[in-house]
Amino acid sequence: QKFFATPKPPGNIIASKSPDLKSAKSLMLPLAILADSISTLRVSFISSPVMWFITWCWLIFGAKTWYSPPFFKIAYKVNAEGVKYLAEACKKSNTVLIHISTDFVFDGENGPYTETDVPSPINYYGLSKLKGEQLIEQAQINFTILRTILVYGLVDNMSKNNIVSWIKNAVESKQTITIVNDQFRMPTLVDDLADACLLAIQNTTYGIFNVSS
């Protein structure tokens, strides 16, 4: 699958609160506990002779924050060091790791991208996710990395809008919205991403793949 990434820092997205290193540390303990528990996990509804573990580590404080150096310390803790713990646990338990990554590992200048294109992130979020990918590749385990874009889904009583539902609701209510105008991206239905994970398991598919709807 070919896809685009953002070519430059968005100019009209409001960042949320400033990054706090304590936030990253508070997330590391659950990740460490999860890593220690991987050997006891089973995907009971999947018929496979090999145990698989799916992880999606991510951290967001607001798009503008992604270009702030302090953010990298937090993002690296979660998206790189956290992933490293999980990869090490997978190695000990002979578990295949499916890791969800992002289109932000690319700079967006020469899309659409294929799996053979060289990553070149231009923000700290993308860099932290790329570092996580590299640590998985160095871990000497069987893995599948799925790079995806703008994941959305629809469930009853959603507590928070995603970009697709937000735009849909705004259009239906005839509201004016402010959104970036320098990106070409492909929203990914969460069901399709789940199917990609299942296909990787059912076909014992390893490597790096770009996945979008």
Side-chain angles (χ1 to χ4, degrees):
Q1 186 67 267
K2 295 183 177 182
F3 57 36
F4 285 90
T6 179
K8 61 182 179 180
N12 54 357
I13 294 181
I14 299 174
S16 57
K17 64 182 181 180
S18 299
D20 179 2
L21 193 55
K22 291 182 180 178
S23 301
K25 291 180 178 178
S26 68
L27 289 169
M28 291 308 294
L29 181 58
L31 283 173
I33 294 173
L34 181 57
D36 288 339
S37 304
I38 282 181
S39 60
T40 66
L41 296 176
R42 294 293 185 275
V43 186
S44 59
F45 58 89
I46 296 173
S47 176
S48 173
V50 181
M51 185 162 66
W52 295 68
F53 180 71
I54 303 173
T55 177
W56 191 350
C57 297
W58 71 298
L59 187 66
I60 181 169
F61 285 92
K64 280 188 175 178
T65 315
W66 294 0
Y67 300 86
S68 163
F71 173 80
F72 182 63
K73 293 182 180 180
I74 300 175
Y76 190 87
K77 284 284 186 182
V78 176
N79 294 329
E81 289 185 12
V83 171
K84 181 181 179 182
Y85 291 152
L86 298 176
E88 290 173 349
C90 285
K91 184 175 182 180
K92 291 178 182 178
S93 59
N94 193 30
T95 300
V96 181
L97 177 62
I98 296 182
H99 178 64
I100 309 300
S101 191
T102 175
D103 59 327
F104 278 96
V105 298
F106 299 111
D107 59 18
E109 295 293 339
N110 296 296
Y113 291 99
T114 68
E115 289 80 357
T116 57
D117 288 316
V118 178
S120 179
I122 58 173
N123 60 52
Y124 291 114
Y125 170 69
L127 179 59
S128 68
K129 293 293 286 186
L130 178 59
K131 291 292 185 181
E133 289 187 10
Q134 293 170 341
L135 288 170
I136 290 172
E137 292 182 279
Q138 296 167 10
Q140 298 181 327
I141 61 172
N142 289 325
F143 66 86
T144 303
I145 294 174
L146 303 178
R147 294 170 175 159
T148 193
I149 316 172
L150 285 178
V151 178
Y152 73 97
L154 296 174
V155 296
D156 293 332
N157 302 316
M158 288 180 61
S159 60
K160 184 178 180 181
N161 282 339
N162 52 59
I163 189 170
V164 173
S165 61
W166 172 60
I167 293 175
K168 176 179 180 292
N169 293 337
V171 170
E172 289 177 344
S173 59
K174 299 182 179 180
Q175 297 177 9
T176 300
I177 61 175
T178 301
I179 194 170
V180 296
N181 60 4
D182 59 356
Q183 297 184 18
F184 295 88
R185 305 177 74 198
M186 301 174 183
T188 304
L189 181 63
V190 68
D191 302 58
D192 293 336
L193 182 57
D195 285 342
C197 293
L198 287 173
L199 284 171
I201 294 171
Q202 292 167 352
N203 296 292
T204 317
T205 304
Y206 306 141
I208 298 177
F209 301 90
N210 298 343
V211 175
S212 66
S213 295

